[in-house]
Amino acid sequence: MSYEPIFALFCERVKESIQAGTFAKLTLAKTIGDTEIKNIYFRLVINEDNTYSISLTTRYKTEEIESIHTLDEALLMLGTYIKNPFLTALLFTTDNDVTFKVNKKNAGSIIEQEPTFKNASPVMLEMIEKGIV
């Protein structure tokens, strides 16, 4: 069984959390072995025209690289890092924490837990205030 269909469900959860105004943060973690890349952080940013984009900050051992994307582009990019080298994606919302994991057999799973964050990200709150979502 492949993890891709479960990862697609996870991506839908990300989109839903942004539309519902509950998004707090998203990160990729737990790499396979000791890699140069350590984390990828997914943040919302508001554009000058009152639309939003996604900032992907890729953290390496010696530097950080930030790039700006549309939501769909950012999710596609995140997908390229699953199993290469990340095994886990963590979505934090005000409703719950959603964890996507890939096991050794290439199967994906989604686990929901109580929310870590009581408030959405400051940018999410500003987007709600401005009526962007």
Side-chain angles (χ1 to χ4, degrees):
M1 181 176 173
S2 175
Y3 68 85
E4 283 94 351
I6 306 299
F7 186 71
L9 290 173
F10 177 81
C11 290
E12 284 304 311
R13 297 292 298 274
V14 174
K15 291 178 181 180
E16 290 167 5
S17 73
I18 293 170
Q19 290 302 317
T22 62
F23 179 87
K25 78 179 203 178
L26 187 150
T27 187
L28 295 185
K30 195 168 183 188
T31 60
I32 301 169
D34 184 28
T35 61
E36 282 297 311
I37 189 170
K38 292 298 171 192
N39 296 88
I40 297 177
Y41 299 102
F42 178 110
R43 293 183 305 116
L44 298 168
V45 292
I46 297 176
N47 302 319
E48 289 181 13
D49 63 353
N50 278 340
T51 60
Y52 73 92
S53 294
I54 306 302
S55 165
L56 289 181
T57 302
T58 306
R59 199 159 126 207
Y60 297 89
K61 285 182 178 179
T62 58
E63 68 179 328
E64 286 186 3
I65 298 174
E66 182 179 20
S67 56
I68 305 296
H69 306 275
T70 67
L71 176 58
D72 288 334
E73 288 170 348
L75 291 171
L76 280 173
M77 287 188 70
L78 288 181
T80 65
Y81 289 103
I82 299 298
K83 292 206 62 162
N84 185 30
F86 296 99
L87 295 174
T88 304
L90 301 144
L91 168 63
F92 299 94
T93 75
T94 57
D95 291 336
N96 52 30
D97 293 352
V98 182
T99 304
F100 168 80
K101 292 183 179 183
V102 179
N103 66 19
K104 291 177 184 176
K105 295 181 180 178
N106 211 34
S109 63
I110 292 178
I111 300 164
E112 292 187 27
Q113 297 175 307
E114 290 297 312
T116 300
F117 295 93
K118 293 185 182 357
N119 298 312
S121 74
V123 175
M124 179 87 262
L125 296 173
E126 187 178 345
M127 287 169 54
I128 293 168
E129 186 177 298
K130 290 183 174 185
I132 295 172
V133 291

